[in-house]
Amino acid sequence: MNILIFGPNGSGKGTQGAVVQKKYGIPHIETGVIFRQNISKKTPLGEKAKAFIDRGELVPDDITIPMILDRLKEDDAKKGWLLDGFPRNLAQAEALWKALESEKIELDYVIEIDLDRDSAKKRIMGRRLCKMDNNHPNNIYIDAIKPHEHEGKTVCRVCNCEDLTTRADDQDAAAIDKRHGIYYDTKTGTLAAVNYFKERTKIVSVDGRVGVKEVSEALLKQLS
Ligand code: AMP
């Protein structure tokens, strides 16, 4: 099973990706993770990519495309793959499609988690971390997981602990806007890549506005 998964930052793509990976038992190949591993190991690839990543820009295609096409040739990917974070623009989509065609590899599904830009931004900026447990999701903008108010204080909705915190990069509106600018660009950006596949293969589109469980259910219903 060969699958691509798309969704803006803040859409819950990582969580849903894990659900899909579990269903099929295929490797979850995330470009961002590969870059970060290379940066921490200080490999030549990591050294080249670091400056772009630090600026919130895409790593150039001549570095990213061969890296991913090579990764798809590794042994564990023979049984299939879930590709996450690639393609991120139209040029990468075209290169991937060409490579798949020439290797006669079928693309089974393209998953799109659909979420408007404003909601995606709120999802990120509203995220609150529970001091006791990061698996206690709280978000001041999502009713289903809104932190509770207790004696005038905002507390974790699961364990009632005080002092919910934010992640610094979640509060960086300019960085979020930059990433979303690339994602929502329908001319050459990530949505242009999604539209490219819409004309060529099966798209499974799910509404990302609902809760995590509902998105998973909608997704699994459409995947055979
Ligand atoms: P992510 O963890 O997916 O948000 O990726 C982190 C960073 O890695 C991005 O902000 C980009 O700088 C870089 N990156 C990830 N995927 C790609 C890609 N397909 N093309 C170019 N750069 C990428």
Side-chain angles (χ1 to χ4, degrees), residues 17-158:
V19 170
V20 176
Q21 187 220 0
K22 202 164 152 215
K23 175 177 167 68
Y24 295 112
I26 48 180
H28 187 180
I29 300 173
E30 296 169 87
T31 27
V33 172
I34 301 178
F35 282 132
R36 281 189 287 278
Q37 284 168 346
N38 276 278
I39 290 171
S40 66
K41 286 190 204 145
K42 296 197 166 25
T43 66
L45 177 82
E47 309 265 286
K48 275 193 241 167
K50 189 172 183 313
F52 298 98
I53 291 177
D54 287 347
R55 287 197 299 267
E57 292 168 13
L58 290 184
V59 177
D61 288 346
D62 59 345
I63 300 174
T64 307
I65 293 172
M67 174 185 89
I68 288 300
L69 297 182
D70 283 350
R71 175 66 186 86
L72 295 182
K73 288 184 188 138
E74 285 180 28
D75 273 353
D76 66 333
K78 296 231 163 32
K79 59 182 172 191
W81 34 261
L82 171 67
L83 198 46
D84 181 342
F86 184 94
R88 209 105 152 192
N89 61 29
L90 188 56
Q92 292 181 0
E94 288 168 346
L96 177 66
W97 186 253
K98 214 170 114 200
L100 294 178
E101 275 194 326
S102 81
E103 307 267 334
K104 301 204 171 11
I105 296 173
E106 189 91 14
L107 188 55
D108 296 289
Y109 290 112
V110 173
I111 296 169
E112 179 191 19
I113 302 176
D114 190 18
L115 188 64
D116 64 276
R117 189 167 174 165
D118 190 45
S119 304
K121 187 172 178 178
K122 281 188 167 165
R123 284 269 181 94
I124 301 168
M125 299 198 79
R127 200 142 54 188
R128 294 294 178 270
L129 303 179
C130 166
K131 216 168 65 173
M132 302 302 290
D133 184 343
N134 283 333
N135 289 323
H136 290 174
N138 287 268
N139 193 305
I140 60 168
Y141 295 122
I142 302 175
D143 283 341
I145 56 168
K146 219 178 207 158
H148 294 165
E149 292 298 322
H150 181 67
E151 294 175 352
K153 289 197 174 115
T154 304
V155 299
C156 172
R157 49 177 267 280
V158 183

Side-chain angles (χ1 to χ4, degrees), residues 12-20 28 212 216:
K13 174 169 63 74
T15 309
Q16 301 303 335
V19 170
V20 176
H28 187 180
V212 172
S216 300

